[in-house]
Amino acid sequence: MSDPKSDAKLRFTTLVLRRELPSEYHEVAPVVAPSIVAYGPEDRTALELQLALSELPEEAKPSSVARHLLPAGVRLETIEVELARSALPGRLAHPITATITVALVPEPRPDAAPAGHWVFVPALDHAFYLARGEDLADRLQADLRVLPAALALDADGWKRLLTWAPARLEEVAVELATTPLAEAQGRKALADAERKRQAIA
């Protein structure tokens, strides 16, 4: 007979970004993995996302779980940027102003202020590192000068980038479907040690 404790599942809490769309439906996705999306009525999206995250395809890897374990101090910022569409003809090529929501995740250091922040741009499934003292708006604008062309955004991609919606952070509890707690705790310890090593380096 198996030990109930050894068969217990790993549980963790992560942060998700909830957007209320003009259709009155909601879109919910993890801050660090915006491609994993639940879409629909507000009262259903959190549960659907929990189910999706419970079956992470690479949960055997410590980094797959560790990247969802975010430090305290995560916040949202809304930035206005100009987007050039040089590939379009005539007036359509003129720059347009867009409002972009980003999530800032601090890079913690022991007994010190954050070394910088990881900035997640859900509308493009893009992330970059913002060093201390670096201006967020300037850096985001610089990235967005080249990203739409580099990603070869189609009409749906442009629509997502240009459609601003009210957003907020929420916590979601996840229970992994297949990884026993005893096994996962060992992996988590390795992942935590690696995160601390990178923060100190």
Side-chain angles (χ1 to χ4, degrees):
M1 184 174 179
S2 62
D3 182 354
K5 291 184 178 179
S6 66
D7 291 337
K9 303 302 182 183
L10 172 65
R11 296 177 177 87
F12 64 91
T13 300
T14 191
L15 283 175
V16 301
L17 180 70
R18 177 180 291 276
R19 299 172 71 230
E20 184 177 352
L21 304 176
S23 64
E24 297 186 359
Y25 272 25
H26 285 233
E27 179 186 276
V28 182
V31 166
V32 299
S35 61
I36 305 174
V37 182
Y39 174 80
E42 180 178 7
D43 59 350
R44 290 175 47 189
T45 47
L47 177 58
E48 290 179 0
L49 188 64
Q50 284 176 314
L51 292 174
L53 290 175
S54 73
E55 298 180 350
L56 292 171
E58 296 184 340
E59 64 187 55
K61 298 180 180 179
S63 59
S64 181
V65 174
R67 67 176 182 150
H68 290 277
L69 306 179
L70 302 179
V74 179
R75 70 181 193 274
L76 297 180
E77 294 279 356
T78 301
I79 311 291
E80 281 198 353
V81 297
E82 279 198 349
L83 298 171
R85 300 181 294 174
S86 56
L88 298 179
R91 294 180 180 178
L92 294 176
H94 291 174
I96 57 176
T97 300
T99 302
I100 308 295
T101 298
V102 300
L104 282 80
V105 178
E107 182 67 44
R109 293 188 297 176
D111 303 318
H117 290 79
W118 286 100
V119 181
F120 292 87
V121 188
L124 289 173
D125 197 1
H126 172 64
F128 60 86
Y129 185 75
L130 187 76
R132 289 183 66 187
E134 192 174 4
D135 186 82
L136 172 60
D138 289 347
R139 175 60 190 278
L140 181 62
Q141 179 69 75
D143 278 24
L144 290 178
R145 286 194 187 101
V146 297
L147 275 173
L151 297 173
L153 284 189
D154 57 13
D156 287 340
W158 275 106
K159 180 180 179 181
R160 177 171 175 77
L161 182 59
L162 297 175
T163 302
W164 181 84
R168 64 180 185 268
L169 292 172
E170 293 182 0
E171 289 188 344
V172 167
V174 181
E175 178 182 295
L176 292 185
T178 60
T179 305
L181 179 59
E183 181 181 351
Q185 282 178 330
R187 296 175 185 154
K188 181 178 180 297
L190 291 174
D192 287 345
E194 177 63 13
R195 285 170 64 92
K196 290 178 181 177
R197 185 191 69 78
Q198 292 179 357
I200 295 172

